[in-house]
Amino acid sequence: MNLNRRTALAAAIAAVSLAGASAPAQARPGAADLTSSGRQSLDMLYATEPKARFYARHALAVLVFPSIYKGGLMVGAQTGDGVLFMGGRPSGFFNASAVSFGLQAGGQKYSAAMFFMNRRALGYLHRSGGWAIGSTPNVVIVNTGAALEANTTNLTQDVYIVPFGQKGLMAGIDIHASKITEIHPN
């Protein structure tokens, strides 16, 4: 890596670190707030995306992250808290976080729903102590608005992720790893 790239990388890391340090500390939302915003987010998703309703009918559980915040300049980060619904009732709370590196700039807020289609995938979420997307189980990110037909004959993956409600602008190409860990809000 040449000196100019190292300098740019060091500056980007410093900028992200300073932005995080200067941002006001926000308290983690409580269980009741997460449950309420999770239900509202799912209602919005089901009203606008027919595939999501289909996945929900066949899923054992749905983990919804009402607000995931993502930002970066060369080095980026994202985080958000969510609630796991089983049979329409909250059964756990989780945080999704990631760090990314690459050509990227901007900030974005979005929501995401993860549809757990079988006991193996759901069991892994509870047993893993920190579920890394890209490890096991099999995960598919669903492109909302795409013409893909969802039906019981092609419903073959362990987890379907549907991102929705994007606001802001995040541009670029990045490599990142996301991790989901259980949390215990008050």
Side-chain angles (χ1 to χ4, degrees), residues 135-150:
S135 60
T136 184
N138 295 324
V139 175
V140 170
I141 298 177
V142 177
N143 181 6
T144 57
L148 176 68
E149 179 66 29

Side-chain angles (χ1 to χ4, degrees), residues 5-182:
R5 285 187 181 174
R6 283 188 202 149
T7 303
L9 182 58
I13 291 170
V16 170
S17 298
L18 288 174
S22 65
Q26 291 183 328
R28 176 165 264 154
D33 290 337
L34 266 176
T35 300
S36 175
S37 60
R39 286 187 200 286
Q40 290 172 356
S41 293
L42 281 177
D43 288 344
M44 180 181 87
L45 175 62
Y46 296 153
T48 59
E49 185 55 52
K51 280 186 275 189
R53 288 192 303 271
F54 173 80
Y55 294 134
R57 281 194 303 274
H58 296 281
L60 293 177
V62 180
L63 176 54
V64 62
F65 294 94
S67 297
I68 298 174
Y69 298 93
K70 180 178 182 180
L73 178 63
M74 300 297 282
V75 177
Q78 68 182 36
T79 190
D81 292 337
V83 57
L84 180 70
F85 291 105
M86 291 184 67
R89 307 183 103 153
S91 69
F93 300 93
F94 294 83
N95 173 269
S97 294
V99 175
S100 56
F101 305 93
L103 292 173
Q104 58 184 323
Q108 184 177 56
K109 176 185 169 195
Y110 66 97
S111 303
M114 300 177 70
F115 298 90
F116 288 81
M117 306 311 286
N118 57 49
R119 292 193 190 286
R120 181 177 81 93
L122 191 57
Y124 187 76
L125 175 68
H126 289 295
R127 284 190 319 272
S128 66
W131 196 64
I133 294 177
S135 60
T136 184
N138 295 324
V139 175
V140 170
I141 298 177
V142 177
N143 181 6
T144 57
L148 176 68
E149 179 66 29
N151 59 53
T152 55
T153 59
N154 64 14
L155 201 60
T156 59
Q157 301 302 314
D158 296 326
V159 180
Y160 291 88
I161 300 175
V162 180
F164 62 100
Q166 291 90 343
K167 294 178 182 168
L169 180 61
M170 188 75 185
I173 302 167
D174 64 2
I175 298 171
H176 70 276
S178 296
K179 189 163 189 171
I180 298 173
T181 52
E182 190 165 9

